[in-house]
Amino acid sequence: MSKPVGIVTGAGSGIGLAVATHLISKGYKVVIADLNPTTGAEAAKSLGPDAKFIQTDVASYGSQARLFKQAYEWGGNRLDFCHANAGIDDRQYIYDDKEELDEEGLVKPLNTKSMQVNLEAVIQGLWLFKYYVRRSKESGGGKGKFVATSSAAGLYYMTTNPQYTASKYGVIGLVRSAGPVFVKENITVNCICPGFIPTNLCPPQILEVWPKEHITPMKTALDAIDAFLGDDSMTGQAVELSLDKLYFREMVPWANASQKWIGEESLSIWDEAYSKVPTKTGY
Ligand SMILES: NC(=O)c1ccc[n+]([C@@H]2O[C@H](COP(=O)([O-])OP(=O)(O)OC[C@H]3O[C@@H](n4cnc5c(N)ncnc54)[C@H](O)[C@@H]3O)[C@@H](O)[C@H]2O)c1
């Protein structure tokens, strides 16, 4: 039987590299997808023949679509796992008081690259993953595990990175909404919400002063991946990683019975309404 195949984005460094290494130790073939050609290629080389580097900019749909097609073909027409993990912090402060104007005198837009990489790319990644998992049955697959990387910032707040925080909240919303639906076709959708794990995401001057008692070890992230891999019924989960523990986070409680009814029981009304619209294109 062929080996299961995974894609890990942002696998040239940090959490992605650790997850890719872990998957290979568990018998997977893994595509290292990263924007950085140097670290990505080095990572794949150090991991051996079951790793392949594909340079990818997840913020570009075309680049990500090519990644998925190439990964599926390299894996023998099979895809089983995706960790949509690539992420960046905010590239411009929303608090900036040096806004620039264009020729028309309009305020130029805020740089929202962190939204594109951390959220938009994750949504498109799930879209692509579903397509290839459905086509993996004949090659021994057909069961998919999709994991996204949110953040503890997606559960709390981070005043220094508001767009980043919004993107990480968005990832949790995606997982909680789509996760329970995809399980019907053997795809689970979950996310990790790391506390502070020392990686290249963090500027060196912060790493130097960060108190050791507030560091979450990389092993906690791998424990979460193992929890998702080991349980086919676990979907729609956001797991916070703090120190050596996993905290499976519930959504906020329903405000009242009305909100609970809308959330849990109004689906048939929505389904009925949408069934009269052949496609949502055009909305
Ligand atoms: N380290 C932490 O404490 C922490 C905490 C919470 C969440 N996270 C999240 O974990 C994820 C991984 O971060 P990390 O800490 O391992 O950081 P990292 O900087 O070590 O790794 C991120 C990787 O993503 C790659 N990348 C960036 N933009 C990309 C793009 N457009 N396309 C493809 N690859 C791209 C980078 O080249 C890098 O190799 C991120 O989503 C981050 O937001 C990290």
Side-chain angles (χ1 to χ4, degrees):
M1 204 159 93
S2 65
K3 289 187 172 189
V5 181
I7 292 173
V8 182
T9 71
S13 168
I15 297 171
L17 177 55
V19 170
T21 308
H22 187 60
L23 289 172
I24 287 178
S25 77
K26 291 174 87 82
Y28 279 73
K29 285 169 71 116
V30 179
V31 169
I32 311 288
D34 205 290
L35 186 60
N36 186 320
T38 312
T39 56
E42 276 168 9
K45 196 171 165 210
S46 73
L47 291 172
D50 283 333
K52 178 181 173 62
F53 172 56
I54 299 180
Q55 191 185 5
T56 310
D57 177 1
V58 296
S60 149
Y61 180 75
S63 178
Q64 208 178 186
R66 275 188 287 279
L67 160 73
F68 273 79
K69 183 169 187 289
Q70 286 172 26
Y72 173 79
E73 289 169 0
W74 172 71
N77 293 340
R78 180 167 178 175
L79 189 60
D80 306 82
F81 178 91
C82 176
H83 189 168
N85 164 77
I88 58 170
D89 56 8
D90 287 348
R91 298 297 141 118
Q92 188 182 5
Y93 272 122
I94 199 167
Y95 315 112
D96 209 337
D97 60 359
K98 296 178 196 67
E99 301 90 345
E100 291 177 12
L101 304 184
D102 67 12
E103 308 80 57
E104 221 190 313
L106 302 176
V107 180
K108 285 191 182 172
L110 177 72
N111 183 330
T112 52
K113 186 80 181 182
S114 54
M115 291 291 288
Q116 291 161 27
V117 175
N118 303 352
L119 179 57
E120 169 84 22
V122 175
I123 297 171
Q124 298 292 7
L126 180 56
W127 172 249
L128 290 161
F129 183 66
K130 174 204 70 182
Y131 178 90
Y132 288 104
V133 171
R134 283 177 176 164
R135 283 155 184 79
S136 298
K137 285 201 185 89
E138 283 176 20
S139 317
K143 212 165 86 170
K145 303 270 179 186
F146 186 88
V147 181
T149 299
S150 175
S151 169
L155 294 161
Y156 307 113
Y157 64 90
M158 195 176 182
T159 53
T160 49
N161 276 272
Q163 302 100 280
Y164 176 92
T165 302
S167 72
K168 298 301 188 179
Y169 267 74
V171 168
I172 295 177
L174 174 74
V175 159
R176 285 186 175 154
S177 302
V181 182
F182 274 121
V183 79
K184 281 186 239 156
E185 47 182 306
N186 289 324
I187 295 176
T188 64
V189 184
N190 296 292
C191 69
I192 56 171
C193 306
F196 184 87
I197 301 179
T199 66
N200 291 325
L201 189 69
C202 189
Q205 61 274 26
I206 293 186
L207 291 176
E208 277 163 25
V209 297
W210 196 266
K212 289 199 171 32
E213 64 271 26
H214 297 302
I215 286 180
T216 292
M218 194 62 86
K219 182 179 177 301
T220 311
L222 303 181
D223 288 347
I225 298 296
D226 284 343
F228 295 144
L229 288 176
D231 186 346
D232 290 346
S233 66
M234 189 185 285
T235 196
Q237 295 293 321
V239 63
E240 183 175 359
L241 318 177
S242 181
L243 308 178
D244 62 347
K245 298 254 178 335
L246 305 181
Y247 298 87
F248 288 87
R249 292 305 217 161
E250 300 294 324
M251 67 165 201
V252 294
W254 301 110
N256 55 32
S258 170
Q259 290 300 79
K260 188 168 191 295
W261 180 88
I262 292 172
E264 289 183 343
E265 291 176 52
S266 68
L267 198 61
S268 58
I269 298 176
W270 291 102
D271 281 348
E272 166 75 13
Y274 282 134
S275 71
K276 299 194 175 105
V277 185
T279 157
K280 288 194 183 186
T281 307
Y283 272 81

